[in-house]
Amino acid sequence: MLRVFVLATALSGIGPLAAQTPEGGDAERVIFLTRHAEAEYPYQEDPRDPPLTALGRERAKALAHALSSAGVTQILSSGYRRTRSTAAPLAQRLGLEVESYDAQDPQATARRLRKLNGRIYVAGHSNTTPELVALLGGDPGAEIDPVWEHDRLYVVTLDASGGHLSTTLVRYGAPSKPPPGDEP
């Protein structure tokens, strides 16, 4: 079952998630997953690998603030600039390296995540993030709108054997809004 929490947020982000994540130490694994923050489209220099916009850089800082005391011990990102830039402020704040994963092989990434211990943050894409949530046994909810939705943060909790316990969806940073005329 997907638990959804919409948090009142300011541009600077939500408060740290430490108190909102399950307790349990070694018995549980908590995986935080987001889509990358807002990227610069169209980007002529390298259309497949745009940098973050100013709003995206602010969102990345909000994410770092939100997860700063959540006990994250590993950070994974696809190899794209926009995902690595989304993860960078958190990595810098925690003194961790950003490890790459293959966004083209979500099943291998899910197997890898099931084997890791502790609390892990994963920066992905509008199509790969919900797929990873589902492969971990979670409920990804509705599709992420690839044009405008960037504020979704999944918290997937696994038991010691890698079995799914819960999925929680929170929103962080400035609320994502569809362009005028595209409201759902």
Side-chain angles (χ1 to χ4, degrees), residues 37-133:
E38 291 85 347
E40 190 176 315
Y41 293 112
Y43 185 64
Q44 301 303 319
E45 195 173 305
D46 185 354
R48 291 192 36 83
D49 199 14
L52 296 181
T53 63
L55 182 59
R57 290 188 298 275
E58 287 302 312
R59 184 172 306 285
K61 290 176 190 174
L63 177 71
H65 176 71
L67 295 181
S68 64
S69 59
V72 172
T73 55
Q74 284 187 278
I75 299 173
L76 279 68
S77 169
S78 72
Y80 291 94
R81 180 185 328 187
R82 58 194 178 274
T83 53
R84 296 187 69 76
S85 295
T86 300
L90 178 63
Q92 183 177 13
R93 182 175 262 188
L94 299 178
L96 298 173
E97 294 293 321
V98 177
E99 302 173 36
S100 290
Y101 72 89
D102 184 358
Q104 304 301 316
D105 193 353
Q107 292 184 348
T109 303
R111 284 192 302 273
R112 179 179 176 187
L113 290 169
R114 287 184 183 282
K115 292 178 185 177
L116 295 175
N117 291 317
R119 294 174 180 222
I120 302 105
Y121 167 65
V122 181
H125 304 271
S126 62
N127 58 340
T128 64
T129 300
E131 184 176 10
L132 274 176
V133 170

